[in-house]
Amino acid sequence: MTPDEFRIFGHSLIDWIADYRAGIRTRRVWSDAKPNAVLEQLPSSPPFDPDSPQNLLADLEQIILPNISNWQHPMFYGYFPANSSLEAVLGDLVSSGLGQLGLNWAASPALTELEQRMLEWMQQISGIPNHMKGVIQDTASTATMVALMSARERSTDYALARGGLQAESQAQMIYFSAQCHSSIEKGGLLAGFGKDNLRIVPVDKNFDLIPAELEKMILEDITLGKKPCAIVATVGGTTTTACDPLPEIGRIAREYKLWFHVDAAMAGTAMILPEKQHLFAGLEGADSLCLNPHKWLGATFDCSLYYVSDPEHLVRVMSTNPSYLQTSTDGQVVQYRDWGVPLGRRMRALKLWFLLRLEGVTKLQSRIRRDCENATWLEEQIKNSSEWKVLNPVRLQTLCIRHVPNGLEAVELDKHTLAWVNEINSSGAAYMTPAMLDGRWMVRVSIGALETTREDVMQLWALMQEAVQR
Ligand SMILES: *Cc1c(COP(=O)(O)O)cnc(C)c1O
């Protein structure tokens, strides 16, 4: 494709994306595709001669569009907002267009320095402690794994330079609550800790980790000759928006010399609201923190920020320095390849730059505030309806709810819950995620798609009330 051909097809593709977004309300929210629906329409071999952009566009329309779930739909209340703001879409397009690969600073000076500045901007508006330094990772899963590897190496005095974990005489232990995201366990396993050395700390009635239980487990492990290594605390737990008490956990981490990682992947976006920053009090004691602007903020997947208190330690754990990557500017500049697992990096900071500049912080704040207010509104409706229950403290924009008609319990209640939520989900009018809480099904309503207004939430409440009548 020549630049001129790109210009023509590119313009029509931009129009196509704009039309998709403008008309998204006319589509169903969650896909009702049957397994293999797409595979059956795709040729089993690639074409050997060039196809035309028109044919490709027609297939996007006929094969792809009917078989996607519309995450950007205003009636999307599933999982978490995976917002892809159009500002960020354009920034991401520039990243691909420039085709940069940040192997080191010299390979793309602007890639590195824009990333540094965007991490500082986000730090400033989010109230992240000044002494921390950040890097963009692909996902929170990677950030957590990097945190746990860093914990492992600090606790073992750099065992990687000797026999690694395999040569350690003491088992290294990690602690987290059952309300943590599944990526914490995965990160712990992949960082080599082993399942026996992951400990699940009990939570209180708000689903927040109980610090006294954490301390008890640490003391037990020390008595057994094991080495407490890291604690992962969550602000904004996946199921219920649990907020583990950071100040107490920080005190315990300091006292027993544990690495203290804070996972604020989803809720971290709310740090841009001064009235929500209290949820993050105690962050100054953390060794590492991750938050995902690719969720609620709108920076388009993938963009996960990872901040650490001791970047030198991170670099010592992650760095390899073969001769072909050494340059004359080493030492004066940041080499982000030494701040994580991948060597090459995309220019992800562009989408944050576009988002922050073209929207401005004030507009972003109002959108996030709007979502929290919509959640509070729905919470009030539900609390004022005798058969409905809100099961979690609504700290941000996620509600965990059940409809409990007279006398219904246990298996019957589960059936009822799944019946009404599946009816709404399969109708295509809205989408919510059913999930387990304390061994029973409930429904998560996560508010915060870019276009979700109060009217949309009112519409959802009407749909829910209708669905339980049937
Ligand atoms: C979404 C989420 C994750 C995982 O995020 P990825 O970026 O997809 O890896 C981890 N922790 C929490 C609290 C989350 O909300």
Side-chain angles (χ1 to χ4, degrees):
M1 181 172 275
T2 66
D4 276 330
E5 288 164 345
F6 173 80
R7 193 187 312 278
I8 294 165
F9 188 36
H11 286 169
S12 52
L13 266 187
I14 294 278
D15 283 341
W16 185 80
I17 295 172
D19 289 343
Y20 166 71
R21 290 294 184 98
I24 199 162
R25 278 180 185 278
T26 63
R27 297 182 180 276
R28 53 178 295 122
V29 182
W30 202 246
S31 169
D32 58 354
K34 303 274 173 297
N36 298 320
V38 176
L39 275 173
E40 280 162 10
Q41 297 180 70
L42 296 172
S44 49
S45 310
F48 281 80
D49 296 319
D51 202 344
S52 75
Q54 289 72 27
N55 285 346
L56 193 49
L57 201 52
D59 282 353
L60 276 177
E61 197 72 48
Q62 281 152 30
I63 303 176
I64 304 300
L65 266 196
N67 293 301
I68 60 171
S69 293
N70 295 293
W71 286 70
Q72 307 305 314
H73 197 296
M75 293 297 280
F76 180 88
Y77 303 98
Y79 304 95
F80 47 81
N83 290 330
S84 180
S85 72
L86 290 172
E87 292 86 349
V89 170
L90 290 175
D92 220 15
L93 178 62
V94 175
S95 170
S96 298
L98 294 179
Q100 297 292 289
L101 200 68
L103 296 180
N104 50 30
W105 176 86
S108 185
L111 182 153
T112 299
E113 295 184 14
L114 184 67
E115 184 163 332
Q116 284 177 277
R117 190 61 90 213
M118 288 311 102
L119 284 151
E120 289 165 10
W121 282 10
M122 286 300 299
Q123 182 163 12
Q124 213 181 85
I125 64 174
S126 309
I128 295 168
N130 280 332
H131 69 278
M132 297 185 100
K133 293 266 177 288
V135 56
I136 303 182
Q137 305 276 354
D138 53 3
T139 59
S141 305
T142 303
T144 298
M145 192 174 69
V146 167
L148 291 174
M149 289 168 165
S150 302
R152 183 190 74 198
E153 294 311 313
R154 191 173 78 183
S155 176
T156 60
D157 194 22
Y158 303 96
L160 52 60
R162 305 183 306 271
L165 267 191
Q166 306 195 57
E168 288 301 298
S169 55
Q170 277 182 302
Q172 303 285 323
M173 310 299 293
I174 324 180
Y175 308 83
F176 50 86
S177 96
Q179 290 292 317
C180 266
H181 190 267
S182 56
S183 60
I184 314 300
E185 176 174 348
K186 184 169 175 176
L189 295 179
L190 294 180
F193 286 87
K195 191 136 188 160
D196 294 349
N197 307 310
L198 311 185
R199 299 212 57 188
I200 312 287
V201 187
V203 295
D204 63 19
K205 65 177 189 335
N206 288 336
F207 310 103
D208 305 342
L209 180 146
I210 305 172
E213 297 285 342
L214 167 66
E215 192 160 12
K216 208 166 89 189
M217 281 185 169
I218 291 175
L219 289 169
E220 267 166 32
D221 287 341
I222 292 173
T223 311
L224 293 171
K226 300 175 177 185
K227 183 143 187 214
C229 171
I231 159 82
V232 178
T234 307
V235 182
T238 308
T239 311
T240 61
T241 336
C243 292
D244 296 338
L246 303 187
E248 289 91 332
I249 296 173
R251 190 216 25 103
I252 295 170
R254 256 191 320 282
E255 183 162 343
Y256 299 97
K257 299 197 169 54
L258 271 72
W259 186 278
F260 178 18
H261 177 63
V262 176
D263 176 8
M266 158 65 204
T269 290
M271 293 169 88
I272 67 170
L273 297 183
E275 70 269 26
K276 294 294 183 192
Q277 282 188 353
H278 65 95
L279 295 174
F280 303 87
L283 200 54
E284 18 353 300
D287 291 292
S288 52
L289 158 74
C290 78
L291 54 145
N292 281 357
H294 70 228
K295 285 182 168 168
W296 196 6
L297 193 70
T300 296
F301 194 83
D302 53 350
C303 184
S304 183
L305 310 187
Y306 179 59
Y307 289 90
V308 294
S309 288
D310 183 357
E312 273 176 37
H313 172 71
L314 177 61
V315 169
R316 186 161 165 196
V317 175
M318 294 287 148
S319 150
T320 51
N321 203 11
S323 56
Y324 56 83
L325 288 174
Q326 291 168 16
T327 61
S328 62
T329 49
D330 289 1
Q332 304 165 46
V333 294
V334 174
Q335 303 291 10
Y336 277 132
R337 66 163 189 266
D338 297 334
W339 290 56
V341 177
L343 165 60
R345 56 199 303 106
R346 307 197 304 120
M347 211 162 175
R348 290 200 192 88
L350 274 170
K351 51 193 171 190
L352 263 181
W353 195 38
F354 272 52
L355 178 66
L356 291 171
R357 278 188 69 172
L358 297 176
E359 282 232 48
V361 177
T362 308
K363 256 180 89 182
L364 290 170
Q365 286 170 326
S366 348
R367 171 160 62 75
I368 301 308
R369 199 169 276 134
R370 173 202 72 183
D371 298 338
C372 295
E373 288 167 3
N374 282 340
T376 307
W377 178 85
L378 184 59
E379 182 187 18
E380 277 165 20
Q381 310 312 303
I382 293 179
K383 285 195 165 156
N384 292 330
S385 310
S386 55
E387 295 188 332
W388 290 86
K389 287 196 171 33
V390 180
L391 310 168
N392 65 327
V394 180
R395 282 149 164 161
L396 296 170
Q397 45 62 268
T398 305
L399 295 90
C400 298
I401 60 175
R402 275 194 200 117
H403 178 254
V404 190
N406 264 345
L408 215 53
E409 48 184 50
V411 183
E412 290 306 311
L413 180 59
D414 274 351
K415 269 196 210 155
H416 174 67
T417 304
L418 292 175
W420 72 257
V421 70
N422 287 336
E423 175 175 318
I424 296 177
N425 288 347
S426 58
S427 78
Y431 180 76
M432 293 163 282
T433 316
M436 290 286 219
L437 191 61
D438 292 335
R440 291 257 88 88
W441 286 101
M442 57 87 184
V443 176
R444 279 176 79 259
V445 184
S446 165
I447 299 175
L450 292 172
E451 301 293 332
T452 304
T453 61
R454 176 64 56 84
E455 288 68 41
D456 292 314
V457 179
M458 291 166 80
Q459 170 69 15
L460 177 72
W461 177 225
L463 286 172
M464 288 173 9
Q465 288 170 294
E466 263 170 53
V468 298
Q469 296 307 320
R470 264 165 246 161

